């Protein structure tokens, strides 16, 4: 079983394409953006449905509150801005007006993680998944490539309930087949193996795949599972894989605190304690640099995944 | 024809409800609730087009109201119950475990009449802009009302929403500021003066009207006029002068009853000033 690169594209463009398609399928879909239409790739939606698009200017709190209000009247609002301004800046607005009020708002966040690059730590959001997954009722999705982000956007539009959809800036390998179904809360086993389970999401899925190939050269059969939905977590798929391999590694472009690894560690601690390692940012802010330089500098490169896998294997009884 | 005498009688009973609810659980916010009673009664019993028997979250085909200063929950609950959204007997569960009448308004328990949670201040005007846009998209020629506090105007989000509504000429939106001049730590003019609030909203593109929110006749007239001025290209702000604690002499003229419950003796003194017009719950 191999993954094949179709092309190189940014996940945010997958969002833009998905949003346009969602708008065509359902005239209740509306979009709001806080002065980042080009960055979020929302241009096509704006052009096709100008009457269903709201340019908010740089007022994110107003955007979230207004989105909550638009649901009262039957609309399905998608808000778009960077991950930092989608979460940390508006946490209380999301908590009260969206989550506690049970509103069908889709919070769509681009430029998440270190791979935002040169803009540096102010914009490199690494705590968003943690903040969002703590809110009762919130669904948290981190797709891995262009095709999956597009499919996720369409699934989110049909899903009744609040969603945080996280994607990124750089062009990365697009390998998910276009017709591959996206099911919220269902993890995808990409590579089967018996020695170690690697659970990854977002840009780290491809990095983990490269690590799987390296491990294979050394005779290690790693299983790669794309856990695109952090919440609700696909407990069944994770436990099935972990029980088979008895050894676990997680990889994500997020703080270790609050991320996918933490959710899986919590699951395993309760159901199946196993040796586990984490590839994630370890309680640090980011800095300026190119995406790949940053992933390497913060221990999220392919080498780091291979080393972490070996540490986990060594701990396996 | 509006029956002012009847509205005043309803307001009297609502004020009794507020005192009894806050006293029963020994918590809540009587001051602002008493001050805004006349306004909310005029809105729900005379001015808004609505159907309490068929409450829907979407509120399509009717006027809708948001309470941004959610701590006025005892007032909101009493008015909703007296208007027929839910049984008045349920007012006795205010702030109790497993009640639909949470400390601050919430949607999670499914209490008819509530469309958004509020309590953390500054969010209601933004929500109202969204609901107003939904009405426009739906071709629904009804109004969206929202009540805010004056201290609440210190929240930055209010001004994001004010800029949005003014710039986008959201003319089916009527916002009301409860201008009682008091907040938790003291007079608004000392805690963080608002300056000329009328000029500020006008500068943001709003049409502003002042009125005395403790004069029922003037309140009704102002709301009638606001309805006539809607759909004319600008959002409206009603600067509503009220007295915190209105109707209970020892609660008036001070900020001290913002969030304090009366004891047994104080409750009796308050109720002696408020006659039972519709029957206590």
């Amino acid at each position: 079983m191999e993954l094949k690169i179709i092309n190189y594209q940014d996940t945010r463009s997958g969002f833009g394409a998905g949003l346009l398609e969602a708008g065509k399928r359902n005239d209740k879909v509306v979009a709001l953006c806080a002065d980042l239409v080009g960055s979020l790739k929302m241009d096509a939606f704006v052009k096709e449905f100008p009457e269903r698009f709201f340019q908010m200017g740089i007022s994110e709190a107003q955007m979230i509150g207004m989105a909550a209000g638009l649901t009262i009247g039957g609309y399905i609002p998608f808000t778009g801005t960077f991950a930092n301004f989608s979460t940390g800046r508006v946490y209380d607005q999301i908590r009260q007006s969206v989550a506690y009020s049970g509103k069908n708002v889709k919070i769509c966040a681009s430029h998440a993680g270190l791979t935002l690059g040169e803009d540096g730590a102010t914009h490199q959001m690494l705590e968003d998944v943690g903040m969002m997954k703590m809110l009762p009722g919130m669904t948290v999705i981190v797709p891995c490539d262009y095709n999956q982000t597009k499919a996720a956007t369409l699934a989110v539009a049909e899903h009744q309930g609040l969603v945080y959809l996280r994607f990124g800036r750089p062009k990365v390998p697009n390998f998910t087949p276009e017709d591959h179904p996206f099911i919220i809360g269902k993890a995808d086993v990409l590579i089967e193996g018996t020695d170690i389970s690697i659970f990854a999401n977002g840009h780290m899925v491809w990095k983990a795949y490269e690590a799987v190939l390296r491990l294979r050269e050394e005779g290690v059969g790693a299983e790669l599972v794309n856990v695109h939905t952090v919440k609700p977590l696909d407990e069944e798929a994770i436990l099935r894989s972990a029980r088979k391999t008895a050894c676990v590694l997680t990889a994500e472009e997020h703080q270790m605190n609050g991320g996918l690894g933490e959710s899986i560690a919590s699951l395993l601690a309760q159901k199946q304690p196993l040796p586990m390692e984490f590839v994630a940012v370890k309680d640090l802010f980011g800095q300026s640099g190119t995406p790949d330089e940053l992933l390497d500098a913060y221990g999220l490169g392919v080498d780091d995944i291979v080393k972490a896998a070996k540490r986990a294997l060594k701990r396996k009884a | 024809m509006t029956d002012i005498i009847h509205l005043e009688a309803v307001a009297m009973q609502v004020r009794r409800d507020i005192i009894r609810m806050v006293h029963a659980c020994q918590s809540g916010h009587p001051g602002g609730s008493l001050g805004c009673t006349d306004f909310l009664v005029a809105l729900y019993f005379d001015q808004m087009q609505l159907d309490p028997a068929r409450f829907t979250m979407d509120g399509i085909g009717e006027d809708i109201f948001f309470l941004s200063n959610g701590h006025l929950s005892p007032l909101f609950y009493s008015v909703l119950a007296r208007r027929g959204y839910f049984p008045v007997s349920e007012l006795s569960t205010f702030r109790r475990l497993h009640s639909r009448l949470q400390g601050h308004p919430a949607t999670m328990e499914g209490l008819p009449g509530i469309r958004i949670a509020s309590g953390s201040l500054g969010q209601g005007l933004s929500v109202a802009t969204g609901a107003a846009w939904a009405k426009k998209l739906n071709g629904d020629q009804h109004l969206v009302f929202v009540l805010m506090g004056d201290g609440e105007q210190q929240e930055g989000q209010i001004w994001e929403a004010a800029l949005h509504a003014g710039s986008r000429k959201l003319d089916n939106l009527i916002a009301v500021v409860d201008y009682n001049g008091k907040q938790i730590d003291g007079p608004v003019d000392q805690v963080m003066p608002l300056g000329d609030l009328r000029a500020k909203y006008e500068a943001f593109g709003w049409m502003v009207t002042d009125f005395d929110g403790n004069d029922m006749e003037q309140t009704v007239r102002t709301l009638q006029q606001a309805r006539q001025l809607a759909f004319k290209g600008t959002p409206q702000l009603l600067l509503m002068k009220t007295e915190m604690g209105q109707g209970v002499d020892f609660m008036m003229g001070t900020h001290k009853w913002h969030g304090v419950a009366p004891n047994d003796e104080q409750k009796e003194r308050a109720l002696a000033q408020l006659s039972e017009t519709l029957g206590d719950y």
Side-chain angles (χ1 to χ4, degrees):
Chain A
M1 201 160 49
E2 299 300 329
L3 303 182
K4 286 197 176 59
I5 296 177
I6 301 161
N7 52 30
Y8 286 80
Q9 289 204 73
D10 42 1
T11 51
R12 56 185 165 142
S13 286
F15 165 69
L19 181 64
L20 176 65
E21 182 61 29
K24 287 177 182 169
R25 290 185 191 178
N26 187 345
D27 64 8
K28 293 295 181 192
V29 168
V30 296
L32 302 81
C33 184
D35 198 29
L36 288 168
V37 168
S39 296
L40 270 284
K41 303 295 179 186
M42 295 167 86
D43 319 62
F45 185 95
V46 176
K47 198 172 166 215
E48 185 83 12
F49 306 110
E51 74 290 353
R52 286 197 264 144
F53 171 73
F54 299 94
Q55 171 58 265
M56 302 304 298
I58 309 163
S59 57
E60 294 83 6
Q62 162 65 9
M63 177 166 73
I64 297 297
M66 188 168 127
L70 275 158
T71 67
I72 302 166
Y75 288 90
I76 306 170
F78 282 67
T79 67
T81 183
F82 290 165
N84 181 9
F85 317 135
S86 290
T87 57
R89 189 175 184 89
V90 290
Y91 197 65
D92 190 42
Q93 284 78 16
I94 295 174
R95 182 176 180 272
Q96 175 173 286
S97 293
V98 177
Y100 184 43
S101 295
K103 299 304 181 198
N104 190 24
V105 174
K106 319 301 181 183
I107 299 161
C108 304
S110 184
H111 291 54
L114 293 167
T115 53
L116 164 97
E118 293 79 353
D119 277 344
T122 52
H123 289 53
Q124 286 162 350
M125 192 54 169
L126 295 165
E127 300 85 30
D128 51 335
V129 168
M131 283 191 285
M132 291 297 108
K133 81 176 186 182
M134 279 200 294
L135 291 171
M138 181 70 84
T139 292
V140 179
I141 300 174
V142 186
C144 65
D145 64 4
Y146 174 96
N147 280 346
Q148 185 162 72
T149 307
K150 182 178 176 186
T153 305
L154 287 164
V156 160
E158 288 180 15
H159 172 81
Q160 173 66 37
L162 49 156
V163 175
Y164 180 63
L165 179 65
R166 180 200 214 229
F167 41 90
R169 175 174 184 247
K171 288 194 163 81
V172 293
N174 178 31
F175 56 92
T176 301
E178 209 173 350
D179 59 355
H180 187 75
F182 184 88
I183 302 167
I184 295 172
K186 280 282 167 212
D188 288 328
V189 179
L190 298 177
I191 304 290
E192 289 184 18
T194 53
D195 296 329
I196 181 170
S197 298
I198 303 180
F199 300 112
N201 65 16
H203 294 144
M204 295 303 288
V205 175
W206 185 262
K207 293 281 178 195
Y209 176 64
E210 291 186 8
V212 167
L213 297 181
R214 293 255 300 272
L215 288 164
R216 193 181 290 166
E217 286 168 16
E218 299 180 35
V220 175
E223 178 147 303
L224 176 58
V225 184
N226 175 8
V227 189
H228 51 68
T229 307
V230 178
K231 186 184 168 189
L233 196 64
D234 189 348
E235 300 189 358
E236 197 187 322
I238 290 165
L239 287 171
R240 195 187 312 124
S241 177
R243 281 173 176 148
K244 179 171 72 173
T245 63
C247 182
V248 170
L249 172 65
T250 57
E252 62 192 312
E253 198 182 340
H254 189 273
Q255 300 285 358
M256 189 171 97
N257 292 328
L260 171 69
E262 183 193 73
S263 289
I264 292 176
S266 168
L267 170 68
L268 296 179
Q270 294 171 77
K271 300 280 175 69
Q272 184 78 53
L274 286 169
M276 178 171 179
E277 294 284 330
F278 301 77
V279 168
V281 177
K282 307 284 171 68
D283 206 23
L284 294 167
F285 284 107
Q287 59 175 302
S288 293
T290 67
D292 279 332
E293 283 172 355
L294 286 160
L295 291 179
D296 288 339
Y298 285 82
L300 276 70
V302 176
D303 280 349
D304 300 298
I305 301 171
V306 171
K307 280 182 200 153
K310 287 179 179 169
R311 282 199 306 273
L313 285 161
K314 200 175 276 181
R315 289 170 56 199
K316 195 169 160 181
Chain B
M1 254 314 266
T2 299
D3 183 348
I4 298 294
I5 303 293
H6 173 65
L7 292 179
E8 286 174 344
V10 175
M12 185 76 87
Q13 184 65 49
V14 167
R15 287 192 163 98
R16 276 185 74 87
D17 290 347
I18 292 166
I19 295 294
R20 295 180 68 236
M21 289 164 75
V22 173
H23 170 263
C25 64
Q26 281 298 295
S27 82
H29 299 78
S33 297
L34 292 166
C36 292
T37 297
D38 303 301
F39 161 71
L40 211 62
V41 167
L43 198 62
Y44 270 84
F45 284 78
D46 188 59
Q47 287 297 309
M48 282 210 301
Q49 295 170 2
L50 45 76
D51 184 356
R54 278 190 290 276
F55 172 76
T56 64
M57 182 55 77
D58 285 346
I60 292 171
E62 61 180 27
D63 296 330
I64 60 181
F65 168 79
F66 296 105
L67 181 71
S68 188
N69 45 346
H71 56 279
L72 269 55
S73 56
L75 164 63
F76 197 15
Y77 296 147
S78 169
V79 167
L80 289 175
R82 296 283 171 189
R83 188 68 179 83
Y85 280 88
F86 56 87
V88 292
S89 59
E90 206 169 335
L91 295 176
S92 66
T93 69
F94 176 57
R95 291 192 167 218
R96 303 283 190 198
L97 190 64
H98 304 311
S99 171
R100 298 198 292 180
L101 280 60
Q102 289 293 299
H104 292 80
T107 58
M108 201 147 277
E109 295 76 16
L111 187 67
I114 311 287
R115 292 192 169 90
I116 198 82
S118 59
S120 176
L121 294 172
Q123 301 186 28
L125 188 59
S126 296
V127 173
T129 63
W133 276 117
K135 289 219 175 290
K136 285 195 178 281
L137 288 171
N138 285 330
D140 181 354
Q141 293 286 312
H142 284 84
L143 296 171
V144 175
F145 294 90
V146 56
L147 175 63
M148 304 176 278
D150 51 1
E152 187 178 7
Q153 302 303 303
Q154 292 154 359
E155 292 280 8
Q157 186 182 351
I158 295 277
W159 300 98
E160 291 186 14
L163 178 64
H164 179 91
S167 305
R168 303 296 192 217
K169 306 188 186 308
L170 215 42
D171 58 7
N172 56 349
L173 173 64
I174 298 176
V176 183
V177 171
D178 173 23
Y179 215 148
N180 60 27
K182 297 176 184 68
Q183 57 189 115
I184 296 177
D185 277 356
V188 174
D189 275 345
Q190 286 174 23
V191 176
M192 182 49 68
L194 299 175
D196 188 342
L197 204 53
R198 164 184 275 273
K200 284 174 182 169
Y201 270 94
E202 283 175 347
F204 277 70
W206 291 61
M207 190 191 325
V208 181
T209 305
D210 297 270
F211 75 105
D212 180 348
N214 293 134
D215 177 330
M216 188 62 84
E217 202 172 339
Q218 204 183 122
T219 301
V220 168
R221 207 179 330 120
T222 304
L223 289 170
Q224 283 168 342
Q225 182 200 322
R227 184 173 282 283
Q228 284 161 8
L229 292 171
F231 303 105
K232 293 196 194 309
T234 55
Q236 295 184 66
L237 182 82
L238 308 182
L239 269 181
M240 178 172 77
K241 182 82 191 71
T242 68
E243 181 66 47
M244 196 183 256
Q246 176 72 25
V248 177
D249 57 7
F250 63 91
M251 291 186 174
M252 293 165 68
T254 171
H255 64 272
K256 287 179 184 145
W257 290 93
H258 165 86
V260 176
N263 61 26
D264 293 350
E265 182 265 328
Q266 289 163 331
K267 179 198 74 166
E268 291 308 324
R269 272 171 64 204
L271 292 183
Q273 300 169 44
L274 302 165
S275 52
E276 187 179 344
T277 54
L278 304 179
D280 285 340
Y281 63 81

